[in-house]
Amino acid sequence: MPNFFPFMRFLNFILISVFFFSCAEEKKPPKKKLTKAEVEYLSKEMNAWDKIKEKDEINQYIKAHGYTMTETASGLRYMTIKKADGPKPQPGKVVKVNYKIYLLDGTVLYTSGKEGAEFVVEKDYV
């Protein structure tokens, strides 16, 4: 007669293990879906915090470099390095400018290039 004792011990081990691990599974609460209004509110709150943080970083950068900046109503900051001596441009006239836009780390983000960029005053979003 064959000895089934080792097989029975193995089978009991498997059954107990399956029972133990199936009972040990942690039940997680169902995820709540946010409404559109909740998503919009949270987005606005996070953006407001980011704007405050970003403004503080920009202020620190300006102060550290001793820059004198002009800020527009929209929050755009700029510094005039060289002001032209000519007459003030009139609406509808074409002007040519040279400019560079930098990130806070000094990386040039965009430049008008050596040839400059032309804009129509009070048009082309200028």
mmCIF file of all heavy atoms in Angstrom, residues 44-86:
data_model
loop_
_atom_site.group_PDB
_atom_site.id
_atom_site.type_symbol
_atom_site.label_atom_id
_atom_site.label_comp_id
_atom_site.label_asym_id
_atom_site.label_seq_id
_atom_site.Cartn_x
_atom_site.Cartn_y
_atom_site.Cartn_z
ATOM 1 N N LYS A 44 -8.513 74.979 -10.024
ATOM 2 C CA LYS A 44 -8.320 76.402 -9.732
ATOM 3 C C LYS A 44 -7.484 76.598 -8.479
ATOM 4 O O LYS A 44 -6.611 77.461 -8.429
ATOM 5 C CB LYS A 44 -9.676 77.104 -9.574
ATOM 6 C CG LYS A 44 -10.388 77.338 -10.878
ATOM 7 C CD LYS A 44 -11.723 78.023 -10.666
ATOM 8 C CE LYS A 44 -12.488 78.140 -11.965
ATOM 9 N NZ LYS A 44 -13.817 78.734 -11.769
ATOM 10 N N GLU A 45 -7.745 75.790 -7.450
ATOM 11 C CA GLU A 45 -6.981 75.891 -6.209
ATOM 12 C C GLU A 45 -5.510 75.562 -6.434
ATOM 13 O O GLU A 45 -4.631 76.249 -5.940
ATOM 14 C CB GLU A 45 -7.568 74.967 -5.134
ATOM 15 C CG GLU A 45 -8.903 75.424 -4.588
ATOM 16 C CD GLU A 45 -8.794 76.746 -3.847
ATOM 17 O OE1 GLU A 45 -7.910 76.910 -2.997
ATOM 18 O OE2 GLU A 45 -9.619 77.638 -4.141
ATOM 19 N N MET A 46 -5.247 74.508 -7.178
ATOM 20 C CA MET A 46 -3.860 74.110 -7.450
ATOM 21 C C MET A 46 -3.168 75.158 -8.309
ATOM 22 O O MET A 46 -2.001 75.492 -8.069
ATOM 23 C CB MET A 46 -3.820 72.737 -8.116
ATOM 24 C CG MET A 46 -4.218 71.645 -7.152
ATOM 25 S SD MET A 46 -4.266 69.926 -7.733
ATOM 26 C CE MET A 46 -3.838 69.919 -9.383
ATOM 27 N N ASN A 47 -3.868 75.698 -9.300
ATOM 28 C CA ASN A 47 -3.280 76.732 -10.148
ATOM 29 C C ASN A 47 -2.992 77.998 -9.354
ATOM 30 O O ASN A 47 -1.973 78.655 -9.588
ATOM 31 C CB ASN A 47 -4.183 77.038 -11.336
ATOM 32 C CG ASN A 47 -4.146 75.959 -12.386
ATOM 33 O OD1 ASN A 47 -3.206 75.173 -12.449
ATOM 34 N ND2 ASN A 47 -5.175 75.907 -13.206
ATOM 35 N N ALA A 48 -3.875 78.352 -8.430
ATOM 36 C CA ALA A 48 -3.665 79.539 -7.602
ATOM 37 C C ALA A 48 -2.401 79.367 -6.765
ATOM 38 O O ALA A 48 -1.592 80.299 -6.645
ATOM 39 C CB ALA A 48 -4.881 79.794 -6.707
ATOM 40 N N TRP A 49 -2.218 78.188 -6.198
ATOM 41 C CA TRP A 49 -1.020 77.915 -5.396
ATOM 42 C C TRP A 49 0.227 77.986 -6.273
ATOM 43 O O TRP A 49 1.241 78.571 -5.884
ATOM 44 C CB TRP A 49 -1.124 76.557 -4.725
ATOM 45 C CG TRP A 49 0.130 76.169 -4.012
ATOM 46 C CD1 TRP A 49 1.013 75.214 -4.381
ATOM 47 C CD2 TRP A 49 0.659 76.752 -2.816
ATOM 48 N NE1 TRP A 49 2.059 75.160 -3.504
ATOM 49 C CE2 TRP A 49 1.867 76.100 -2.525
ATOM 50 C CE3 TRP A 49 0.232 77.775 -1.974
ATOM 51 C CZ2 TRP A 49 2.649 76.413 -1.431
ATOM 52 C CZ3 TRP A 49 1.025 78.086 -0.863
ATOM 53 C CH2 TRP A 49 2.196 77.416 -0.611
ATOM 54 N N ASP A 50 0.167 77.419 -7.463
ATOM 55 C CA ASP A 50 1.305 77.447 -8.386
ATOM 56 C C ASP A 50 1.649 78.877 -8.793
ATOM 57 O O ASP A 50 2.827 79.229 -8.919
ATOM 58 C CB ASP A 50 1.024 76.604 -9.631
ATOM 59 C CG ASP A 50 1.102 75.109 -9.363
ATOM 60 O OD1 ASP A 50 1.664 74.712 -8.323
ATOM 61 O OD2 ASP A 50 0.590 74.337 -10.197
ATOM 62 N N LYS A 51 0.634 79.705 -9.007
ATOM 63 C CA LYS A 51 0.875 81.096 -9.400
ATOM 64 C C LYS A 51 1.599 81.854 -8.289
ATOM 65 O O LYS A 51 2.522 82.623 -8.556
ATOM 66 C CB LYS A 51 -0.442 81.794 -9.739
ATOM 67 C CG LYS A 51 -0.990 81.420 -11.095
ATOM 68 C CD LYS A 51 -2.362 81.989 -11.342
ATOM 69 C CE LYS A 51 -2.328 83.459 -11.604
ATOM 70 N NZ LYS A 51 -3.647 84.003 -11.983
ATOM 71 N N ILE A 52 1.201 81.626 -7.037
ATOM 72 C CA ILE A 52 1.856 82.284 -5.901
ATOM 73 C C ILE A 52 3.308 81.826 -5.802
ATOM 74 O O ILE A 52 4.222 82.642 -5.645
ATOM 75 C CB ILE A 52 1.097 81.977 -4.587
ATOM 76 C CG1 ILE A 52 -0.267 82.676 -4.602
ATOM 77 C CG2 ILE A 52 1.915 82.414 -3.374
ATOM 78 C CD1 ILE A 52 -1.198 82.231 -3.500
ATOM 79 N N LYS A 53 3.513 80.537 -5.917
ATOM 80 C CA LYS A 53 4.870 79.973 -5.837
ATOM 81 C C LYS A 53 5.739 80.507 -6.975
ATOM 82 O O LYS A 53 6.891 80.900 -6.765
ATOM 83 C CB LYS A 53 4.783 78.452 -5.890
ATOM 84 C CG LYS A 53 6.101 77.747 -5.746
ATOM 85 C CD LYS A 53 5.901 76.246 -5.807
ATOM 86 C CE LYS A 53 7.222 75.533 -5.940
ATOM 87 N NZ LYS A 53 7.058 74.127 -6.276
ATOM 88 N N GLU A 54 5.194 80.522 -8.186
ATOM 89 C CA GLU A 54 5.943 81.000 -9.344
ATOM 90 C C GLU A 54 6.283 82.482 -9.209
ATOM 91 O O GLU A 54 7.401 82.901 -9.506
ATOM 92 C CB GLU A 54 5.119 80.767 -10.610
ATOM 93 C CG GLU A 54 5.835 81.156 -11.878
ATOM 94 C CD GLU A 54 4.983 80.905 -13.098
ATOM 95 O OE1 GLU A 54 3.988 81.630 -13.287
ATOM 96 O OE2 GLU A 54 5.296 79.956 -13.841
ATOM 97 N N LYS A 55 5.334 83.280 -8.739
ATOM 98 C CA LYS A 55 5.577 84.710 -8.577
ATOM 99 C C LYS A 55 6.688 84.952 -7.562
ATOM 100 O O LYS A 55 7.551 85.813 -7.755
ATOM 101 C CB LYS A 55 4.289 85.429 -8.155
ATOM 102 C CG LYS A 55 4.386 86.923 -8.236
ATOM 103 C CD LYS A 55 3.029 87.572 -8.111
ATOM 104 C CE LYS A 55 3.148 89.050 -8.399
ATOM 105 N NZ LYS A 55 1.879 89.692 -8.572
ATOM 106 N N ASP A 56 6.698 84.165 -6.500
ATOM 107 C CA ASP A 56 7.747 84.284 -5.494
ATOM 108 C C ASP A 56 9.112 83.924 -6.084
ATOM 109 O O ASP A 56 10.103 84.608 -5.841
ATOM 110 C CB ASP A 56 7.433 83.380 -4.295
ATOM 111 C CG ASP A 56 8.414 83.557 -3.161
ATOM 112 O OD1 ASP A 56 8.688 84.720 -2.797
ATOM 113 O OD2 ASP A 56 8.922 82.541 -2.631
ATOM 114 N N GLU A 57 9.171 82.851 -6.879
ATOM 115 C CA GLU A 57 10.428 82.457 -7.522
ATOM 116 C C GLU A 57 10.928 83.555 -8.466
ATOM 117 O O GLU A 57 12.122 83.860 -8.500
ATOM 118 C CB GLU A 57 10.248 81.154 -8.300
ATOM 119 C CG GLU A 57 10.086 79.937 -7.428
ATOM 120 C CD GLU A 57 9.760 78.683 -8.223
ATOM 121 O OE1 GLU A 57 9.616 78.757 -9.463
ATOM 122 O OE2 GLU A 57 9.650 77.619 -7.599
ATOM 123 N N ILE A 58 10.018 84.157 -9.211
ATOM 124 C CA ILE A 58 10.398 85.229 -10.135
ATOM 125 C C ILE A 58 10.897 86.442 -9.363
ATOM 126 O O ILE A 58 11.918 87.044 -9.726
ATOM 127 C CB ILE A 58 9.214 85.598 -11.057
ATOM 128 C CG1 ILE A 58 8.915 84.429 -12.007
ATOM 129 C CG2 ILE A 58 9.504 86.871 -11.848
ATOM 130 C CD1 ILE A 58 7.623 84.577 -12.782
ATOM 131 N N ASN A 59 10.216 86.804 -8.279
ATOM 132 C CA ASN A 59 10.652 87.932 -7.453
ATOM 133 C C ASN A 59 12.056 87.697 -6.898
ATOM 134 O O ASN A 59 12.889 88.611 -6.879
ATOM 135 C CB ASN A 59 9.675 88.188 -6.314
ATOM 136 C CG ASN A 59 8.370 88.805 -6.789
ATOM 137 O OD1 ASN A 59 8.322 89.430 -7.841
ATOM 138 N ND2 ASN A 59 7.320 88.615 -6.017
ATOM 139 N N GLN A 60 12.322 86.486 -6.437
ATOM 140 C CA GLN A 60 13.649 86.156 -5.910
ATOM 141 C C GLN A 60 14.707 86.263 -7.006
ATOM 142 O O GLN A 60 15.806 86.765 -6.769
ATOM 143 C CB GLN A 60 13.644 84.748 -5.313
ATOM 144 C CG GLN A 60 12.879 84.635 -4.019
ATOM 145 C CD GLN A 60 12.826 83.201 -3.505
ATOM 146 O OE1 GLN A 60 13.598 82.351 -3.909
ATOM 147 N NE2 GLN A 60 11.891 82.942 -2.600
ATOM 148 N N TYR A 61 14.378 85.786 -8.184
ATOM 149 C CA TYR A 61 15.307 85.840 -9.321
ATOM 150 C C TYR A 61 15.622 87.290 -9.690
ATOM 151 O O TYR A 61 16.789 87.649 -9.886
ATOM 152 C CB TYR A 61 14.700 85.100 -10.512
ATOM 153 C CG TYR A 61 15.596 85.056 -11.724
ATOM 154 C CD1 TYR A 61 16.564 84.083 -11.855
ATOM 155 C CD2 TYR A 61 15.469 86.008 -12.736
ATOM 156 C CE1 TYR A 61 17.394 84.036 -12.978
ATOM 157 C CE2 TYR A 61 16.295 85.964 -13.854
ATOM 158 C CZ TYR A 61 17.249 84.983 -13.963
ATOM 159 O OH TYR A 61 18.069 84.942 -15.058
ATOM 160 N N ILE A 62 14.599 88.112 -9.777
ATOM 161 C CA ILE A 62 14.781 89.519 -10.132
ATOM 162 C C ILE A 62 15.654 90.213 -9.096
ATOM 163 O O ILE A 62 16.583 90.945 -9.434
ATOM 164 C CB ILE A 62 13.416 90.225 -10.277
ATOM 165 C CG1 ILE A 62 12.688 89.702 -11.526
ATOM 166 C CG2 ILE A 62 13.562 91.739 -10.335
ATOM 167 C CD1 ILE A 62 11.234 90.136 -11.612
ATOM 168 N N LYS A 63 15.355 89.966 -7.833
ATOM 169 C CA LYS A 63 16.123 90.584 -6.749
ATOM 170 C C LYS A 63 17.578 90.118 -6.767
ATOM 171 O O LYS A 63 18.499 90.926 -6.621
ATOM 172 C CB LYS A 63 15.477 90.248 -5.402
ATOM 173 C CG LYS A 63 16.108 90.946 -4.237
ATOM 174 C CD LYS A 63 15.381 90.643 -2.948
ATOM 175 C CE LYS A 63 16.057 91.346 -1.784
ATOM 176 N NZ LYS A 63 15.374 91.047 -0.520
ATOM 177 N N ALA A 64 17.798 88.812 -6.958
ATOM 178 C CA ALA A 64 19.153 88.257 -6.958
ATOM 179 C C ALA A 64 20.005 88.831 -8.082
ATOM 180 O O ALA A 64 21.226 88.980 -7.940
ATOM 181 C CB ALA A 64 19.096 86.734 -7.067
ATOM 182 N N HIS A 65 19.388 89.174 -9.208
ATOM 183 C CA HIS A 65 20.129 89.703 -10.349
ATOM 184 C C HIS A 65 20.094 91.229 -10.427
ATOM 185 O O HIS A 65 20.690 91.818 -11.334
ATOM 186 C CB HIS A 65 19.595 89.090 -11.651
ATOM 187 C CG HIS A 65 19.948 87.646 -11.788
ATOM 188 N ND1 HIS A 65 19.246 86.636 -11.162
ATOM 189 C CD2 HIS A 65 20.966 87.040 -12.454
ATOM 190 C CE1 HIS A 65 19.796 85.480 -11.454
ATOM 191 N NE2 HIS A 65 20.835 85.683 -12.227
ATOM 192 N N GLY A 66 19.380 91.864 -9.512
ATOM 193 C CA GLY A 66 19.327 93.324 -9.482
ATOM 194 C C GLY A 66 18.621 93.937 -10.671
ATOM 195 O O GLY A 66 18.949 95.050 -11.085
ATOM 196 N N TYR A 67 17.647 93.233 -11.236
ATOM 197 C CA TYR A 67 16.931 93.738 -12.405
ATOM 198 C C TYR A 67 15.844 94.726 -11.992
ATOM 199 O O TYR A 67 15.262 94.633 -10.915
ATOM 200 C CB TYR A 67 16.269 92.597 -13.181
ATOM 201 C CG TYR A 67 17.235 91.642 -13.844
ATOM 202 C CD1 TYR A 67 16.899 90.319 -14.021
ATOM 203 C CD2 TYR A 67 18.470 92.064 -14.316
ATOM 204 C CE1 TYR A 67 17.766 89.426 -14.643
ATOM 205 C CE2 TYR A 67 19.336 91.183 -14.937
ATOM 206 C CZ TYR A 67 18.990 89.871 -15.100
ATOM 207 O OH TYR A 67 19.835 89.016 -15.708
ATOM 208 N N THR A 68 15.557 95.658 -12.877
ATOM 209 C CA THR A 68 14.416 96.554 -12.727
ATOM 210 C C THR A 68 13.418 96.139 -13.799
ATOM 211 O O THR A 68 13.662 96.333 -14.988
ATOM 212 C CB THR A 68 14.834 98.021 -12.927
ATOM 213 O OG1 THR A 68 15.859 98.339 -11.992
ATOM 214 C CG2 THR A 68 13.657 98.952 -12.727
ATOM 215 N N MET A 69 12.321 95.559 -13.369
ATOM 216 C CA MET A 69 11.338 95.009 -14.304
ATOM 217 C C MET A 69 10.063 95.845 -14.269
ATOM 218 O O MET A 69 9.713 96.427 -13.254
ATOM 219 C CB MET A 69 10.992 93.565 -13.929
ATOM 220 C CG MET A 69 12.188 92.633 -13.842
ATOM 221 S SD MET A 69 12.952 92.259 -15.406
ATOM 222 C CE MET A 69 11.777 91.156 -16.110
ATOM 223 N N THR A 70 9.371 95.847 -15.392
ATOM 224 C CA THR A 70 8.044 96.453 -15.501
ATOM 225 C C THR A 70 7.051 95.307 -15.622
ATOM 226 O O THR A 70 7.292 94.358 -16.364
ATOM 227 C CB THR A 70 7.957 97.355 -16.748
ATOM 228 O OG1 THR A 70 8.989 98.342 -16.671
ATOM 229 C CG2 THR A 70 6.603 98.025 -16.844
ATOM 230 N N GLU A 71 5.955 95.390 -14.858
ATOM 231 C CA GLU A 71 4.940 94.338 -14.898
ATOM 232 C C GLU A 71 3.654 94.892 -15.476
ATOM 233 O O GLU A 71 3.166 95.938 -15.061
ATOM 234 C CB GLU A 71 4.684 93.770 -13.493
ATOM 235 C CG GLU A 71 3.739 92.588 -13.493
ATOM 236 C CD GLU A 71 3.630 91.908 -12.130
ATOM 237 O OE1 GLU A 71 4.320 92.313 -11.188
ATOM 238 O OE2 GLU A 71 2.821 90.964 -12.026
ATOM 239 N N THR A 72 3.088 94.178 -16.446
ATOM 240 C CA THR A 72 1.827 94.589 -17.060
ATOM 241 C C THR A 72 0.660 94.101 -16.203
ATOM 242 O O THR A 72 0.849 93.324 -15.263
ATOM 243 C CB THR A 72 1.687 94.008 -18.476
ATOM 244 O OG1 THR A 72 1.588 92.585 -18.377
ATOM 245 C CG2 THR A 72 2.872 94.389 -19.355
ATOM 246 N N ALA A 73 -0.546 94.534 -16.558
ATOM 247 C CA ALA A 73 -1.746 94.109 -15.830
ATOM 248 C C ALA A 73 -1.948 92.598 -15.892
ATOM 249 O O ALA A 73 -2.496 91.996 -14.966
ATOM 250 C CB ALA A 73 -2.972 94.828 -16.381
ATOM 251 N N SER A 74 -1.481 91.970 -16.967
ATOM 252 C CA SER A 74 -1.652 90.516 -17.110
ATOM 253 C C SER A 74 -0.595 89.726 -16.335
ATOM 254 O O SER A 74 -0.669 88.510 -16.254
ATOM 255 C CB SER A 74 -1.587 90.129 -18.589
ATOM 256 O OG SER A 74 -0.271 90.325 -19.082
ATOM 257 N N GLY A 75 0.406 90.425 -15.783
ATOM 258 C CA GLY A 75 1.450 89.736 -15.036
ATOM 259 C C GLY A 75 2.739 89.537 -15.812
ATOM 260 O O GLY A 75 3.732 89.069 -15.270
ATOM 261 N N LEU A 76 2.735 89.909 -17.083
ATOM 262 C CA LEU A 76 3.947 89.817 -17.892
ATOM 263 C C LEU A 76 4.977 90.804 -17.350
ATOM 264 O O LEU A 76 4.653 91.953 -17.059
ATOM 265 C CB LEU A 76 3.641 90.147 -19.353
ATOM 266 C CG LEU A 76 4.858 90.274 -20.270
ATOM 267 C CD1 LEU A 76 5.449 88.892 -20.543
ATOM 268 C CD2 LEU A 76 4.478 90.964 -21.555
ATOM 269 N N ARG A 77 6.206 90.349 -17.201
ATOM 270 C CA ARG A 77 7.285 91.224 -16.740
ATOM 271 C C ARG A 77 8.300 91.363 -17.864
ATOM 272 O O ARG A 77 8.625 90.395 -18.533
ATOM 273 C CB ARG A 77 7.957 90.643 -15.506
ATOM 274 C CG ARG A 77 7.024 90.538 -14.337
ATOM 275 C CD ARG A 77 7.728 89.896 -13.198
ATOM 276 N NE ARG A 77 6.778 89.491 -12.194
ATOM 277 C CZ ARG A 77 7.042 89.509 -10.906
ATOM 278 N NH1 ARG A 77 8.213 89.874 -10.469
ATOM 279 N NH2 ARG A 77 6.123 89.128 -10.052
ATOM 280 N N TYR A 78 8.780 92.568 -18.026
ATOM 281 C CA TYR A 78 9.780 92.797 -19.061
ATOM 282 C C TYR A 78 10.759 93.864 -18.591
ATOM 283 O O TYR A 78 10.491 94.630 -17.670
ATOM 284 C CB TYR A 78 9.130 93.207 -20.384
ATOM 285 C CG TYR A 78 8.425 94.539 -20.348
ATOM 286 C CD1 TYR A 78 9.102 95.692 -20.733
ATOM 287 C CD2 TYR A 78 7.106 94.642 -19.942
ATOM 288 C CE1 TYR A 78 8.457 96.931 -20.709
ATOM 289 C CE2 TYR A 78 6.455 95.861 -19.917
ATOM 290 C CZ TYR A 78 7.141 96.994 -20.297
ATOM 291 O OH TYR A 78 6.512 98.208 -20.264
ATOM 292 N N MET A 79 11.909 93.877 -19.264
ATOM 293 C CA MET A 79 12.937 94.850 -18.966
ATOM 294 C C MET A 79 13.453 95.383 -20.299
ATOM 295 O O MET A 79 13.792 94.611 -21.192
ATOM 296 C CB MET A 79 14.081 94.188 -18.185
ATOM 297 C CG MET A 79 15.211 95.119 -17.842
ATOM 298 S SD MET A 79 16.452 94.384 -16.746
ATOM 299 C CE MET A 79 17.102 93.068 -17.751
ATOM 300 N N THR A 80 13.478 96.700 -20.424
ATOM 301 C CA THR A 80 13.997 97.323 -21.627
ATOM 302 C C THR A 80 15.502 97.475 -21.458
ATOM 303 O O THR A 80 15.970 98.115 -20.519
ATOM 304 C CB THR A 80 13.343 98.698 -21.858
ATOM 305 O OG1 THR A 80 11.920 98.510 -21.924
ATOM 306 C CG2 THR A 80 13.837 99.348 -23.133
ATOM 307 N N ILE A 81 16.255 96.887 -22.354
ATOM 308 C CA ILE A 81 17.714 96.961 -22.287
ATOM 309 C C ILE A 81 18.220 98.175 -23.061
ATOM 310 O O ILE A 81 19.092 98.894 -22.615
ATOM 311 C CB ILE A 81 18.345 95.652 -22.819
ATOM 312 C CG1 ILE A 81 17.918 94.494 -21.918
ATOM 313 C CG2 ILE A 81 19.856 95.766 -22.892
ATOM 314 C CD1 ILE A 81 18.294 93.132 -22.432
ATOM 315 N N LYS A 82 17.657 98.395 -24.238
ATOM 316 C CA LYS A 82 18.058 99.542 -25.058
ATOM 317 C C LYS A 82 16.804 100.140 -25.675
ATOM 318 O O LYS A 82 16.092 99.473 -26.415
ATOM 319 C CB LYS A 82 19.023 99.097 -26.153
ATOM 320 C CG LYS A 82 19.500 100.218 -27.037
ATOM 321 C CD LYS A 82 20.442 99.704 -28.111
ATOM 322 C CE LYS A 82 20.802 100.822 -29.064
ATOM 323 N NZ LYS A 82 21.577 100.313 -30.187
ATOM 324 N N LYS A 83 16.558 101.377 -25.351
ATOM 325 C CA LYS A 83 15.386 102.059 -25.874
ATOM 326 C C LYS A 83 15.770 102.819 -27.143
ATOM 327 O O LYS A 83 16.817 103.462 -27.194
ATOM 328 C CB LYS A 83 14.836 103.024 -24.814
ATOM 329 C CG LYS A 83 13.493 103.575 -25.127
ATOM 330 C CD LYS A 83 12.934 104.330 -23.942
ATOM 331 C CE LYS A 83 11.538 104.806 -24.259
ATOM 332 N NZ LYS A 83 10.924 105.481 -23.122
ATOM 333 N N ALA A 84 14.922 102.731 -28.148
ATOM 334 C CA ALA A 84 15.180 103.413 -29.420
ATOM 335 C C ALA A 84 15.044 104.925 -29.262
ATOM 336 O O ALA A 84 14.324 105.412 -28.390
ATOM 337 C CB ALA A 84 14.230 102.904 -30.486
ATOM 338 N N ASP A 85 15.762 105.669 -30.102
ATOM 339 C CA ASP A 85 15.733 107.133 -30.050
ATOM 340 C C ASP A 85 14.687 107.741 -30.981
ATOM 341 O O ASP A 85 14.412 108.928 -30.920
ATOM 342 C CB ASP A 85 17.110 107.700 -30.448
ATOM 343 C CG ASP A 85 18.205 107.295 -29.474
ATOM 344 O OD1 ASP A 85 17.875 106.954 -28.329
ATOM 345 O OD2 ASP A 85 19.376 107.293 -29.876
ATOM 346 N N GLY A 86 14.108 106.940 -31.844
ATOM 347 C CA GLY A 86 13.191 107.448 -32.863
ATOM 348 C C GLY A 86 11.834 107.839 -32.301
ATOM 349 O O GLY A 86 11.570 107.768 -31.100
#
